[in-house]
Amino acid sequence: MGSTLLSVQPQLLPKEKSLQDVTVEVLQWLKQHGLLKERVRCESKHCLQHNLEITPLGQATYKGSVDLAYCDTLYADLKKGLEGLILESCLHLLYLTTPYDMVSQCHPDWMIYFKQYNQLTPVEQQVAAIVGVPESFIAKKASGQAVRKDVDNGTVGRLYLSFILHALLKETNLWNVAEKFNISRGFVQTLLNSAAAFSSSVLHFCEELDEFWVYKALLTELSKKLTYCVKAELIPLMEVAGVLEARAKQLYNAGYKTLAHLANANPEVLVKTIEHLSRRQARQIVSSAKMLLAEKAEALQEEAEELLRIPTDIP
């Protein structure tokens, strides 16, 4: 016990606080934020037993590995998104999956902000209004005028970051996007990686809450787009081990447009068709494609068998 975390923690606490005090404070905080709830069970007249149980929000936060500092805000944003989710483009979903912890590193260039806003379609511009950033606010900031309207800085920063991600998914060229927004390529890459990870967290978060069922299918596809950051037609090829963006483009242009094409390809033909591809790499790609295709086929077969299975409780 002397080497456990429980034993070591008291040594790191201030003298005026015990481990029990800190534990009670944390539990109270979790209850206040709706992550835990207390259930009182009376077993006798003189005995009250208090049990703590995790709430649906707490379960979603745990399964999604969402930072406790942002779980309330995430829930509120997703709830608000249901009132008028715009799906003509992915901008609204990108805003909802833009990581909160990147906002502090965001310092918008207001002229670029205004220019990018004006390049959006009218429907995409509605996203800004829905999340709480009106056009008049961006225009006044860009022109250096005083802004009287109270607009949340966190929302403004997240929307700007979602503009960067939106441009990145449209162009898929990190260098061009970095130049367009006058930011470093390193920041764009960090933002993309963080957004891909956070979108996966939000997906798992939504899977635990029935009220957010609509987000499940939408975020599954968006997570793939952010993870690979390529045109949609290249994603199935990049799911194969050993195939990155440049190789996926070579394969697609050579006529290998689907996973089935790759799985049934002749490695010798691949070597002759694709530049700078060794026989070992070609065999590995074909083998990986076959394994992945078999896994997908097996999953679909299991799903079909489940649908066709005769229920045992038929009246």
Side-chain angles (χ1 to χ4, degrees):
M1 286 291 292
S3 301
T4 63
L5 181 60
L6 182 64
S7 176
V8 172
Q9 278 182 319
Q11 303 172 20
L12 306 176
L13 296 174
K15 292 182 179 180
E16 61 274 11
K17 281 191 176 182
S18 67
L19 183 58
Q20 183 176 357
D21 294 334
V22 174
T23 303
V24 171
E25 285 180 13
V26 170
L27 290 175
Q28 289 294 338
W29 187 92
L30 291 172
K31 286 194 291 183
Q32 289 171 6
H33 287 76
L35 302 174
L36 287 179
K37 64 181 179 181
E38 192 170 12
R39 183 178 58 190
V40 180
R41 185 175 62 197
C42 184
E43 297 181 343
S44 68
K45 294 182 179 179
H46 307 288
C47 176
L48 284 177
Q49 185 176 356
H50 296 261
N51 292 329
L52 289 175
E53 62 180 22
I54 192 168
T55 63
L57 177 60
Q59 181 74 7
T61 302
Y62 170 74
K63 285 295 183 71
S65 299
V66 177
D67 193 321
L68 294 178
Y70 307 123
C71 61
D72 288 344
T73 309
L74 175 61
Y75 179 84
D77 285 344
L78 292 171
K79 191 77 173 176
K80 184 178 179 181
L82 290 178
E83 297 173 5
L85 190 62
I86 294 178
L87 297 177
E88 187 169 305
S89 80
C90 62
L91 180 60
H92 201 168
L93 282 174
L94 281 172
Y95 172 80
L96 293 173
T97 56
T98 298
Y100 294 97
D101 55 2
M102 291 291 295
V103 175
S104 60
Q105 305 174 43
C106 175
H107 307 287
D109 182 313
W110 293 106
M111 288 302 297
I112 294 176
Y113 205 145
F114 187 59
K115 180 180 178 181
Q116 292 302 315
Y117 176 86
N118 286 328
Q119 290 178 358
L120 298 175
T121 66
V123 175
E124 289 173 338
Q125 289 178 354
Q126 290 179 24
V127 175
I130 289 173
V131 302
V133 185
E135 180 183 5
S136 58
F137 173 83
I138 303 174
K140 287 181 179 179
K141 278 287 191 179
S143 61
Q145 300 179 37
V147 179
R148 295 180 182 178
K149 197 165 187 177
D150 187 23
V151 178
D152 181 65
N153 289 330
T155 302
V156 172
R158 282 189 82 208
L159 184 63
Y160 189 68
L161 292 176
S162 67
F163 282 3
I164 298 174
L165 291 170
H166 187 243
L168 196 55
L169 290 186
K170 286 175 66 177
E171 296 190 19
T172 71
N173 188 311
L174 191 144
W175 292 65
N176 292 345
V177 172
E179 184 178 353
K180 180 183 291 186
F181 285 86
N182 193 27
I183 51 180
S184 68
R185 296 188 298 276
F187 180 81
V188 177
Q189 186 65 63
T190 300
L191 173 62
L192 178 61
N193 294 340
S194 297
F198 189 61
S199 66
S200 180
S201 293
V202 176
L203 173 59
H204 293 308
F205 181 90
C206 292
E207 286 175 344
E208 296 299 318
L209 298 169
D210 292 338
E211 59 195 297
F212 294 147
W213 63 270
V214 70
Y215 287 118
K216 295 176 187 177
L218 298 172
L219 292 178
T220 299
E221 293 304 314
L222 183 65
S223 293
K224 286 184 179 180
K225 287 184 178 181
L226 288 170
T227 299
Y228 298 111
C229 194
V230 294
K231 293 181 179 179
E233 59 266 24
L234 297 182
I235 291 178
L237 300 178
M238 291 186 65
E239 290 180 341
V240 178
V243 178
L244 300 179
E245 182 180 356
R247 184 71 75 200
K249 287 180 178 177
Q250 284 182 312
L251 292 167
Y252 189 87
N253 293 334
Y256 299 95
K257 299 180 184 291
T258 67
L259 185 59
H261 284 139
L262 269 186
N264 293 282
N266 185 330
E268 295 299 327
V269 176
L270 275 179
V271 172
K272 295 177 181 179
T273 307
I274 307 299
E275 291 184 5
H276 310 296
L277 182 68
S278 66
R279 282 184 173 79
R280 183 184 63 82
Q281 290 174 323
R283 293 193 191 100
Q284 182 181 359
I285 288 173
V286 173
S287 176
S288 298
K290 286 181 177 178
M291 289 178 60
L292 185 58
L293 188 63
E295 289 175 5
K296 288 179 177 289
E298 186 178 349
L300 288 173
Q301 187 175 359
E302 289 177 0
E303 186 177 347
E305 289 175 355
E306 183 66 28
L307 287 171
L308 295 172
R309 186 174 289 119
I310 300 173
T312 57
D313 57 348
I314 296 177

